[in-house]
């Protein structure tokens, strides 16, 4: 028996989680329901996407917030940072927002696939690369919403993220950041000590069991 045939037979009998270890890549589609909208999200594991491959609890936490608050984004100009699978931005698009989903270049094919699976071609949001601290100057400064789910976990990126948030936001912008509060990664420090030096912060939703916080962030008013 050839190696490829052996691996195929092995994959059929192994549990899914173990099978993933023996495969180069595998995909998993999940269906979610928020705000009366069904979302079909494919996650591409083992495709060199790292943390961007997964739908994280912080993203679901933000979607739940939209549902609980009955938010309507019709006509609003929105940009998502570190979109990953794109689930939050896709939901906001389905709720009427004019959305731009951004991430690093190698993440974009996954986002585009999920956008195409959920939104008609003639209404698809923009999907483009944005490297914090570098590319934000090529984007407008008048977004109604800037959003990010679980993007605060690497201390070396905090200054870059700050510069990006400062550029993209104006006096009327609402920034929504949902995060797992990982002490070991300095996430708590970012929200308690670093960001309040530059923005107003309001904690608007918590999940104590999963240690998730959602913050509404706005510019200081003169």
């Amino acid at each position: 028996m050839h190696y490829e045939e052996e691996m195929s037979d092995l994959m059929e009998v192994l549990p899914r989680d173990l099978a993933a270890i023996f495969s180069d890549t595998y995909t998993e589609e999940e269906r979610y329901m928020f705000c009366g909208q069904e979302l079909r999200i494919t996650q591409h594991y083992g495709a060199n996407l790292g943390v961007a491959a997964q739908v994280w609890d912080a993203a679901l936490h933000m979607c739940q917030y939209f549902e609980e608050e009955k938010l309507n984004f019709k006509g609003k100009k929105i940009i998502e940072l570190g979109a990953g699978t794109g689930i939050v931005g896709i939901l906001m698009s389905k709720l009427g927002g004019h959305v731009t989903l951004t991430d690093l270049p190698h993440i974009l094919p996954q986002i585009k696939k999920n956008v195409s699976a959920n939104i008609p071609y003639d209404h698809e949001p923009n999907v483009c690369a944005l490297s914090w601290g570098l590319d934000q100057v090529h984007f407008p400064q008048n977004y109604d919403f800037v959003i990010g789910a679980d993007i605060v976990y690497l201390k070396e990126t905090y200054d870059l993220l700050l510069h990006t948030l400062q550029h993209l936001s104006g006096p009327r912008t609402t920034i929504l950041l949902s995060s797992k509060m990982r002490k070991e990664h300095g996430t708590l420090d970012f929200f308690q000590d670093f960001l309040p030096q530059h923005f107003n912060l309001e904690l608007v939703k918590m999940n104590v069991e999963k240690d998730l916080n959602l913050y509404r962030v706005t510019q200081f008013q003169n």
Side-chain angles (χ1 to χ4, degrees):
M1 181 180 293
H2 294 298
Y3 172 77
E4 290 80 4
E5 295 174 338
E6 292 176 346
M7 289 302 296
S8 177
D9 292 343
L10 179 62
M11 297 289 284
E12 290 181 3
V13 299
L14 283 174
R16 185 182 61 193
D17 291 344
L18 281 179
I21 297 173
F22 290 93
S23 66
D24 291 329
T25 63
Y26 81 103
T27 61
E28 181 178 278
E29 181 181 294
E30 296 283 352
R31 293 175 183 260
Y32 302 89
M33 182 69 71
F34 293 105
C35 308
Q37 303 290 332
E38 183 183 61
L39 304 171
R40 292 181 293 145
I41 303 297
T42 299
Q43 302 165 88
H44 294 266
Y45 293 99
N48 298 318
L49 299 183
V51 297
Q54 184 172 338
V55 174
W56 293 94
D57 286 340
L60 303 180
H61 188 64
M62 185 176 287
C63 293
Q64 290 166 358
Y65 174 72
F66 298 160
E67 185 170 67
E68 292 165 1
E69 297 297 317
K70 298 179 173 60
L71 297 184
N72 184 335
F73 299 102
K74 187 174 183 180
K76 299 299 182 181
K77 190 173 181 180
I78 300 159
I79 187 167
E80 180 174 9
L81 304 177
T85 63
I87 183 171
V88 180
I90 289 170
L91 176 59
M92 297 177 88
S93 181
K94 290 172 77 72
L95 295 175
H98 301 303
V99 180
T100 298
L101 297 102
T102 72
D103 213 312
L104 297 175
H106 67 288
I107 310 298
L108 302 188
Q110 173 174 256
I111 300 173
K112 290 178 180 179
K113 179 178 176 64
N114 285 327
V115 165
S116 297
N118 288 277
I119 301 175
Y121 177 77
D122 56 346
H123 289 89
E124 285 187 0
N126 297 319
V127 178
C128 50
L130 196 167
S131 296
W132 304 343
L134 296 174
D135 300 332
Q136 71 272 5
V137 296
H138 302 300
F139 291 79
Q141 297 179 275
N142 59 342
Y143 290 98
D144 296 299
F145 289 91
V146 179
I147 64 169
D150 228 348
I151 61 174
V152 180
Y153 57 87
L154 291 175
K155 289 184 179 181
E156 55 267 31
T157 66
Y158 291 173
D159 280 325
L160 303 176
L161 176 57
L162 173 66
H163 293 321
T164 302
L165 293 175
Q166 289 174 322
H167 174 84
L168 297 174
S169 62
R172 298 182 180 180
T173 302
T174 297
I175 301 169
L176 295 174
L177 298 175
S178 179
S179 189
K180 177 83 168 179
M181 304 306 292
R182 301 179 179 89
K183 295 180 181 179
E184 69 276 14
H185 292 160
T187 306
L188 196 61
D189 297 334
F190 179 85
F191 286 108
Q192 288 190 347
D193 301 323
F194 184 72
L195 204 56
Q197 298 178 44
H198 309 278
F199 288 95
N200 294 309
L201 265 72
E202 179 186 2
L203 178 60
V204 295
K205 180 175 172 60
M206 294 180 63
N207 183 322
V208 176
E209 181 181 350
K210 294 186 176 181
D211 201 17
L212 298 167
N213 285 356
L214 174 61
Y215 294 90
R216 180 188 293 120
V217 183
T218 55
Q219 286 191 354
F220 292 132
Q221 301 299 315
N222 295 327

